[in-house]
Each structure stands twice: as C-alpha cells, then as structure tokens.
Amino acid sequence: MPDSSPSAQIDELRAAFERDLAAAAGEPALRTVRDRYLARKGGLVSGLLKSLGSAPPEARPLLGKLANDLKQSIEARLEARLVETAEARPPAGALDVTLPGRLPAIGHRHPLTLLRERVEAIFGRMGFLIIEGPELEDDYHNFEALNMPAEHPARDMQDTLYLAAPVRSAAGSPATLLRTHTSGMQIRYMERHAPPVRVIAPGRVYRRDNLDLTHTPMFSQVEGLVVGERITLADLKGTLYAFLQELFGRERQVRFRPSFFPYTEPSAEVDISCGACGGTGRGCSMCKRTGWLEILGSGMVHPAVFEAVGYDPERYTGFAFGMGIERVALLKWGVEDIRLFYENDLRFLEQFPL
C-alpha cells in the first residue's frame, strides 16, 4: 500500500521534478516546469506547503524544513538550467558563418522587353537596321505621308490622341499628336536616306482604346520596311515566314489573307496556326475554333508613299509590315489578359524565361 504521508509526498514531488527537468529542452519548456512547481497559485510546491497544516504538530517543523529545502532546490536547479540555456544561445545579431548563404533575389527584364529584344535579334540577323524616333509626332508623318488624307477615319478624335498646338497641318487637322503607329519613322528614314532600305522601327504607340482583356491605350509596336529595286511579294512572304517560324517554332504554319491598309497595295493579314489545338480548331477557345491566330499586317508599299518621300515608284518597290508586341506576347505565351503585363505583379512577371 503506497505511503501517503507528507514526507512521502515530498519525495515523490522531488522525483517528479527530476523527471520533468530532464525532459525539458529549451527555455520555454523550463519556464513551463517552473510554473508547474513554483507558481503561487496552482504550483505543486505551494500546494504541498499548504497541506502541511494537516500534519501532526510535532512533525510540522521537520516537514516544513523538508518542503522549503525542496522549494529552494527546485529554484536553484531551474535557475542553473536557464543560465546554461541562455549561454548556449548565440547573442543577438550574431552571425553563424557555418550556415549556407542566402541567394539574393535576382530580377530580370520585363517580358515585353525580352520579346522586343528577341524580335530585334531575329531581324538584326536578317540585316535590318533598328531605328527609333519621337513618340510625339506631327500629322504629316503620322497620316498624310502614309496616304491617309484628312477625311481618313484614323484621324477621328475618338481614335487618335491629339495635343493642343497652335500649328495645324495643310489639311487643317491638329499637327501634334501621340503617334498611333511607328510608321512615321519609315517616312522620316526615307526622307533622309536613298534606297536600298531595310529597317524596323520598334516603340510605344498610343490610341484611344478602353483598357480590357485585349486592348490598352498604350502598347508597343514593331514596324518593318524594305525598299529596293525588284522587291516583290515573294520577298515579303519569305521574310515573314522565316521570322514567324523562328519566333514561334518551325512546326507553326503561316498563311496570308487579303486585307486593306492605305499605305500598302496589295495588303495582307498574316496568321499563324494555333499552338493550343495544333491548328485543328477542335473545341479551341483561343483560336475560336478556326485553327488560326491573326498575328500581323503587311503589304507592298503604296506608290503614293514613295511619291511623298521623293522615291521613284517606277524604279523602286518595297514591302512593309507591323505587329503589336503585346499581341505577340499573348499568343506566344498563352496569356489571356493584356493588363497582366502592366500590373507589376511579380508572381506573373517571374514566370517568363530570361
């Protein structure tokens, strides 16, 4: 039958404390042990001292001494362990040189910049010169010299962002605007250089579009121009075939569809086969079940454009093409919302390869 005398309780409490102390690892665990045994309310030692009142009067002095000795012993043992734990912990701000280093976060260029550089590199290998010009353009270079007279719908204030300026064009329209395409650089280059010409003009352009899944008031564009003697539609097709298959992969098919642009004649829209459905169109929402994706516009340079820059249209021919960098990015990477490129969300931007 177990001994339930106060002396036996003291011995049992001492043994229990030793077990708990041995099992405690770390400062939080040691403080838990201290609260269990030494807390003023609910502590086991405090409860033991209170229970001594029921012991025989002649035994109380000895039992009180034993209980106080236990309390002091527990306090000393706990204090020693806490000191040891604090000494083992490194000081605040200490540097452990044995830890592996942390790799710094390395950024990279924006995906639209990466794609623009890729386009420039492809045409650069084909011998194209990269030219850049002002985003603030005049009416003549943006419209008139490109065979777009004053009544052309592209001049509508709802499509073009005009700036207040006292100077007006010969046609009477405001002379200063945010360029709607980079074609003005083709005119500027031809005004200063004789054929042959082989250039691309990348840069930002502006149109009065509402921001939605596929439209934005500001976007990036690349336009190309080739002028020389005996340039034919075959040269246009060969150039764009080579460019698109290098950019998207040689498994992609390319087709030309008749279209209309005021500065080219004949004109053509260029499509590539859909990468999501392999060009089959079956159940594909990306290509709207057609198997094709529109990628750029192109055509042979209109003789009126050559006349505007002083080239002899009887001697020279050429072709031009243009594409939106954002649209190419949407199709190349399967992005469904153009706004993602401008929201600066690193979770989106970090997905694109260098």
Side-chain angles (χ1 to χ4, degrees):
M1 185 174 184
D3 187 354
S4 59
S5 66
S7 178
Q9 293 178 21
I10 292 173
D11 293 338
E12 291 175 1
L13 197 57
R14 188 188 304 276
F17 168 74
E18 294 294 341
R19 291 193 296 270
D20 290 343
L21 183 63
E27 184 175 336
L30 290 171
R31 296 190 182 280
T32 299
V33 172
R34 182 176 62 184
D35 292 342
R36 180 183 180 190
Y37 287 90
L38 300 179
R40 290 183 178 276
K41 293 183 178 180
L44 296 179
V45 174
S46 300
L48 175 63
L49 291 172
K50 292 179 181 178
S51 68
L52 293 181
S54 60
E58 64 276 9
R60 290 176 188 173
L62 178 59
L63 294 176
K65 181 178 182 305
L66 294 175
N68 283 323
D69 290 346
L70 174 62
K71 180 181 178 181
Q72 294 173 6
S73 174
I74 290 175
E75 290 176 342
R77 297 289 302 282
L78 283 170
E79 185 64 26
R81 283 290 301 276
L82 286 169
V83 170
E84 292 175 2
T85 303
E87 290 176 349
R89 186 172 60 242
L95 176 64
D96 186 352
V97 296
T98 65
L99 291 175
R102 296 184 179 90
L103 291 177
I106 300 176
H108 60 74
R109 294 180 301 285
H110 192 277
L112 295 180
T113 302
L114 295 174
L115 186 55
R116 171 177 164 168
E117 291 176 351
R118 173 71 171 148
V119 170
E120 292 176 352
I122 294 174
F123 281 113
R125 290 196 295 274
M126 295 182 183
F128 282 75
L129 178 66
I130 300 170
I131 60 175
E132 297 188 29
E135 296 177 14
L136 187 64
E137 189 57 278
D138 60 65
D139 183 271
Y140 174 78
H141 289 93
N142 199 78
F143 291 127
E144 292 180 26
L146 289 164
N147 197 33
M148 286 184 277
E151 67 274 9
H152 195 279
R155 294 170 175 264
D156 195 311
M157 291 290 289
Q158 300 302 313
D159 297 324
T160 304
L161 298 171
Y162 289 96
L163 303 178
V167 180
R168 290 181 172 267
S169 70
S173 58
T176 307
L177 51 90
L178 293 176
R179 64 182 181 183
T180 60
H181 47 201
T182 61
S183 302
M185 280 307 301
Q186 300 176 7
I187 300 298
R188 291 179 178 276
Y189 188 86
M190 287 190 289
E191 288 176 336
R192 293 172 172 80
H193 300 85
V197 173
R198 188 180 297 181
V199 298
I200 60 169
R204 287 187 294 266
V205 299
Y206 305 84
R207 297 177 187 175
R208 196 189 181 286
D209 285 330
N210 293 321
L211 188 62
D212 57 27
L213 290 175
T214 56
H215 297 87
T216 175
M218 184 278 294
F219 59 96
S220 301
Q221 192 179 52
V222 174
E223 298 214 5
L225 174 69
V226 173
V227 180
E229 297 184 16
R230 297 184 296 277
I231 300 296
T232 69
L233 188 63
D235 299 308
L236 166 63
K237 294 182 70 174
T239 299
L240 295 183
Y241 265 106
F243 163 69
L244 292 172
Q245 290 194 335
E246 182 167 352
L247 183 63
F248 288 93
R250 298 196 176 277
E251 70 281 359
R252 305 295 281 273
Q253 300 299 310
V254 180
R255 76 172 183 182
F256 288 73
R257 291 182 290 108
S259 186
F260 169 76
F261 302 107
Y263 33 84
T264 56
E265 179 63 36
S267 304
E269 298 280 1
V270 182
D271 303 333
I272 59 171
S273 58
C274 179
C277 64
T280 65
R282 289 193 293 269
C284 183
S285 60
M286 177 172 286
C287 64
K288 298 180 175 60
R289 298 177 175 82
T290 65
W292 296 95
L293 299 167
E294 180 182 326
I295 188 69
L296 59 85
S298 64
M300 301 300 294
V301 179
H302 198 289
V305 176
F306 285 151
E307 291 174 356
V309 297
Y311 284 8
D312 182 359
E314 297 297 327
R315 178 181 178 184
Y316 297 111
T317 56
F319 64 82
F321 55 88
M323 72 196 84
I325 293 293
E326 283 82 351
R327 175 157 183 80
V328 175
L330 293 176
L331 300 181
K332 181 174 178 61
W333 291 313
V335 179
E336 297 181 353
D337 190 341
I338 196 173
R339 293 170 293 189
L340 293 171
F341 289 112
Y342 299 103
E343 292 176 349
N344 295 326
D345 189 335
L346 293 180
R347 295 171 299 177
F348 171 77
L349 298 178
E350 289 175 345
Q351 298 180 47
F352 297 91
L354 291 174

